[in-house]
Amino acid sequence: MRLETKAIHSGRSIDKSTSSVTMPIHLSTTFERAQDGSYQNEFVYSRENNPNRRALEDCLTSLEDGHDCVAFASGMADRRSSCR
């Protein structure tokens, strides 16, 4: 696959709740919890991890033919940040 094709398609998926082909920007700072207090998906707090950052990481991983990627909101990395 050519680099241009990877750049357009990697990290993208159809939004299950709206059927949007372009990912919406998720501005929420926290995500919904279940009745028992657990989180129903992998997203807990948007500064730590969110759907937009995950899409960016997936796209960059594909473009670099890498194994994984971690993007940070600031220029400072934190060892405790979520990694896959």
Side-chain angles (χ1 to χ4, degrees):
M1 188 180 310
R2 293 180 54 179
L3 180 68
E4 296 87 353
T5 305
K6 283 184 180 182
I8 292 171
H9 295 287
S10 297
R12 295 180 182 248
S13 61
I14 296 174
D15 185 278
K16 293 175 184 163
S17 63
T18 64
S19 299
S20 172
V21 295
T22 303
M23 177 176 272
I25 296 173
H26 295 275
L27 300 175
S28 176
T29 57
T30 59
F31 294 89
E32 181 180 25
R33 289 181 178 230
Q35 288 288 335
D36 65 358
S38 66
Y39 289 95
Q40 297 177 12
N41 59 38
E42 62 191 291
F43 305 115
V44 177
Y45 184 62
S46 66
R47 289 187 199 172
E48 181 180 291
N49 193 9
N50 66 54
N52 300 114
R53 186 175 300 165
R54 174 59 51 83
L56 170 65
E57 292 168 345
D58 291 345
C59 184
L60 291 174
T61 299
S62 177
L63 291 174
E64 295 290 331
D65 292 323
H67 174 69
D68 205 350
C69 174
V70 179
F72 294 92
S74 71
M76 301 177 71
D78 182 352
R79 293 181 69 197
R80 293 171 289 145
S81 295
S82 61
C83 295
R84 290 180 277 159

